[in-house]
Amino acid sequence: MASRGKLVIVFAPSGSGKGTLIEHVKNHFKDKVVFPVSYTTRQIRPGEKEGDVYHFVSAEDFKEKINEEFFLEWAEYSGNLYGTPRDEITKHIEAGDLVLREVEIQGANSISRLMPKEDLISIYIDAGSWEDLRRRIEARAPLSGEELELRRRRFEKEILFKDEADFVISNKDGELESAQKHIIEIIENLQ
Ligand code: 5GP
């Protein structure tokens, strides 16, 4: 019988370059790692495809799925709902696959609480201090003082996960290449 697989959760504060790293992992491992599709109520963005990273659903459909206990975990983030489908993840772990999903902090905390320890690996992407992140966020798009303060407060909570994660990947300015190597190495060692 094949040995059990694992769920790898990748967690990173906003602005830490997680999207680029995950894209790299997807291209590198192609069919070797499963990337489950989450559900969200947020609007689809230009360039995104339904069923690629997310299934885009109405709040009504999402709530129905909550009631049906369809999600392993779900959370509200910036006014939208996000959830990981339970069955897809357990099915792949039982089949011996490596499953990788990025989640925000509530999802990371719930999954750490809910999943058996031996089924789970957590990775924290460390892009530095709040000041470093603020610079990156502001370079991407101007934000109001209020929105920045919201992000700062969120960051204070998010950074607490760093001490709990199994692996911390440093992805400060200029470290993208070494961060890419590091995440590939971690996943290769799990296979
Ligand atoms: P975005 O809207 O920018 O794609 O994602 C917003 C946040 O939602 C990110 O921090 C992302 O990691 C998180 N996220 C994406 N999918 C899920 C999920 O299935 N569950 C939870 N809890 N968070 C998710």
Side-chain angles (χ1 to χ4, degrees):
M1 203 175 76
S3 60
R4 275 175 84 74
K6 279 189 193 299
L7 171 64
V8 180
I9 50 168
V10 178
F11 169 68
S14 153
S16 43
K18 150 191 70 178
T20 318
L21 271 182
I22 303 248
E23 261 321 291
H24 182 73
V25 172
K26 273 191 180 169
N27 291 333
H28 187 90
F29 289 103
K30 295 228 161 64
D31 307 331
K32 297 201 193 95
V33 173
V34 176
F35 299 92
V37 181
S38 283
Y39 286 69
T40 184
T41 61
R42 85 149 157 75
Q43 291 290 310
I44 189 163
R45 295 180 187 138
E48 285 185 323
K49 268 196 274 162
E50 157 59 34
D52 193 1
V53 174
Y54 295 112
H55 292 299
F56 297 91
V57 295
S58 66
E60 204 179 33
D61 286 351
F62 196 100
K63 284 177 187 152
E64 212 173 288
K65 288 195 177 322
I66 296 176
N67 291 337
E68 290 163 356
E69 302 196 353
F70 176 81
F71 297 119
L72 171 65
E73 64 74 36
W74 65 272
E76 188 176 341
Y77 181 95
S78 282
N80 297 306
L81 302 172
Y82 294 82
T84 43
R86 180 195 308 276
D87 283 359
E88 206 184 319
I89 288 176
T90 41
K91 174 183 84 189
H92 283 294
I93 291 181
E94 275 156 23
D97 297 328
L98 263 189
V99 182
L100 186 144
R101 180 68 219 179
E102 58 146 313
V103 288
E104 50 65 75
I105 188 69
Q106 299 162 75
N109 283 328
S110 322
I111 292 175
S112 304
R113 222 180 33 245
L114 293 168
M115 297 271 297
K117 278 239 164 319
E118 59 276 18
D119 286 355
L120 187 67
I121 295 289
S122 55
I123 299 179
Y124 179 90
I125 314 287
D126 180 12
S129 66
W130 165 244
E131 278 310 307
D132 297 326
L133 275 179
R134 189 180 58 81
R135 249 186 294 115
R136 283 188 180 197
I137 292 169
E138 287 190 313
R140 241 176 12 192
L143 291 183
S144 68
E146 203 182 324
E147 178 64 17
L148 264 180
E149 178 54 18
L150 211 76
R151 298 271 183 116
R152 189 190 62 76
R153 270 191 262 135
R154 191 194 283 156
F155 176 78
E156 302 286 315
K157 293 190 194 128
E158 291 174 334
I159 198 159
L160 300 177
F161 194 74
K162 185 174 164 183
D163 289 335
E164 290 177 34
D166 296 308
F167 296 97
V168 175
I169 296 181
S170 186
N171 191 25
K172 307 198 176 86
D173 284 341
E175 290 185 338
L176 180 61
E177 215 173 296
S178 68
Q180 286 177 334
K181 271 198 200 133
H182 193 181
I183 194 164
I184 298 295
E185 202 179 277
I186 291 169
I187 295 169
E188 261 164 5
N189 283 333
L190 295 174
Q191 285 180 318

